[in-house]
Amino acid sequence: MPTLSTLLLFSLACLALAATPGPDMLLIASRSAGQGLRAGFATLFGIQLGTYCHALLAALGLAQLFVLVPMAYDAVRIAGAAYLLYLAWATLRSNSVLRAAEPGSEGKPLARIALQGLATNLLNPKMALFVLALFPQFVEPQAGPVALQIMLLATVLNVVGFGVNALVIVASGRMGRALAGGKGGRWPQYLLATVFGGLAVRLLAAGQK
């Protein structure tokens, strides 16, 4: 396994990355502001599950496909943007997307939110390239199975990310309640649809660089 000093250095790198505002943090914040803490944590759960999936792909060597075959990168990127645009459209179209679940029925909507977080993470090929670029720098071949080390690093990344994003979720949830002022309205729909649309544009623009 990696040495303690290696894990500490990796943790500091993760902290710097997690504290830098990005697409995941924006999605988590908008969910929390519009739907509350449970929705925010459900989104975070889906995103962090996606991190494990990307780490597993990197461990299997499949993430290198995006480097060797640019068309594969573009295909996933376009599919991800299309999915985000669909979510934006569905959010605006439905009046019930951001309503709180009825007592005793929280599981289904929260599961759907988590799956959306997972899907948006998996359909972002830049995340796969990020894992592929960062993780090998902290892998020590002589310290044990490389695949196991990569999954350990993914766990460290998720633990650090959870700590940072939990603060974002709580702060955004409080801000959302303050904006709502006890009244309804469609502002959560507009906010989340704007975030989904913005992430789609960002993902499409990535292909122009």
Side-chain angles (χ1 to χ4, degrees):
M1 289 294 97
T3 63
L4 183 59
S5 59
T6 297
L7 290 177
L8 179 59
L9 182 60
F10 182 74
S11 298
L12 292 175
C14 291
L15 180 60
L17 291 168
T20 302
D24 287 347
M25 183 180 291
L26 183 59
L27 179 59
I28 291 169
S30 62
R31 278 290 191 189
S32 303
Q35 293 175 271
L37 301 185
R38 290 188 176 185
F41 280 110
T43 302
L44 177 58
F45 174 79
I47 289 173
Q48 294 201 322
L49 184 59
T51 298
Y52 278 120
C53 293
H54 283 298
L56 181 60
L57 291 177
L60 296 175
L62 297 181
Q64 297 182 20
L65 179 66
F66 291 139
V67 176
L68 300 176
V69 185
M71 289 183 62
Y73 175 92
D74 288 333
V76 175
R77 179 176 57 82
I78 293 172
Y83 177 69
L84 287 167
L85 289 174
Y86 163 75
L87 290 180
W89 173 80
T91 300
L92 289 175
R93 181 172 177 269
S94 176
N95 289 326
S96 61
V97 171
L98 299 185
R99 287 179 183 170
E102 296 296 329
S105 64
E106 294 86 348
K108 184 176 180 180
L110 289 180
R112 184 169 62 245
I113 290 171
L115 286 175
Q116 288 179 353
L118 171 62
T120 55
N121 186 276
L122 290 180
L123 290 172
N124 182 4
K126 295 184 72 175
M127 181 62 186
L129 294 179
F130 164 77
V131 171
L132 188 63
L134 179 66
F135 282 30
Q137 301 180 42
F138 296 91
V139 170
E140 302 172 356
Q142 72 281 3
V146 171
L148 191 58
Q149 291 186 60
I150 289 177
M151 297 309 291
L152 175 60
L153 294 177
T155 299
V156 173
L157 175 60
N158 277 342
V159 169
V160 174
F162 180 88
V164 172
N165 286 299
L167 296 177
V168 173
I169 290 171
V170 172
S172 299
R174 290 180 177 177
M175 181 182 68
R177 288 194 297 271
L179 289 175
K183 299 180 180 180
R186 287 178 56 83
W187 73 266
Q189 269 94 342
Y190 297 141
L191 172 64
L192 191 56
T194 300
V195 170
F196 282 139
L199 294 180
V201 171
R202 179 189 177 99
L203 203 52
L204 289 173
Q208 307 301 321
K209 298 179 179 181

